[in-house]
Amino acid sequence: MIQNSRRRERIIAALIDGLVLIPIMLPFVGLIHFGLKFHFVSNTANLVIGFLYYVFYVYSNQTTIGKKNQRLMIHSHDGFRISYQ
């Protein structure tokens, strides 16, 4: 049976996801201080990392690391596994 999650659980999961992604993205943000030409590299790298985490990881596991910690799952409106369609 599918139950709705509480707001507190979702907030904690989002904070955990942020703590997971910040150390991965931080070195690329540091590239910005070396000059304007690295803005594109930094933004592109962070976009790719976020895309991989929130699209491919969620699609294959139906959860993020933070949601897994809070025992939450992502599913479609009708309760089935999420898909690209």
Side-chain angles (χ1 to χ4, degrees), residues 58-62 73-76 78-83:
V58 168
Y59 179 73
S60 62
N61 297 313
Q62 286 200 263
M73 295 289 289
I74 301 170
H75 55 83
S76 65
D78 53 3
F80 292 108
R81 183 175 176 82
I82 56 174
S83 67

Side-chain angles (χ1 to χ4, degrees), residues 18-72:
L19 291 173
V20 168
L21 287 177
I22 285 174
I24 298 169
M25 292 180 166
L26 199 57
F28 296 107
V29 173
L31 286 175
I32 294 173
H33 297 290
F34 289 112
L36 187 60
K37 62 183 174 183
F38 290 108
H39 278 266
F40 177 76
V41 174
S42 174
N43 291 339
T44 304
N46 287 330
L47 181 69
V48 168
I49 291 168
F51 183 79
L52 290 174
Y53 184 69
Y54 285 109
V55 175
F56 287 123
Y57 187 81
V58 168
Y59 179 73
S60 62
N61 297 313
Q62 286 200 263
T63 186
T64 62
I65 294 171
K67 285 180 175 52
K68 187 182 291 187
N69 180 273
Q70 295 297 310
R71 295 177 180 84
L72 301 174

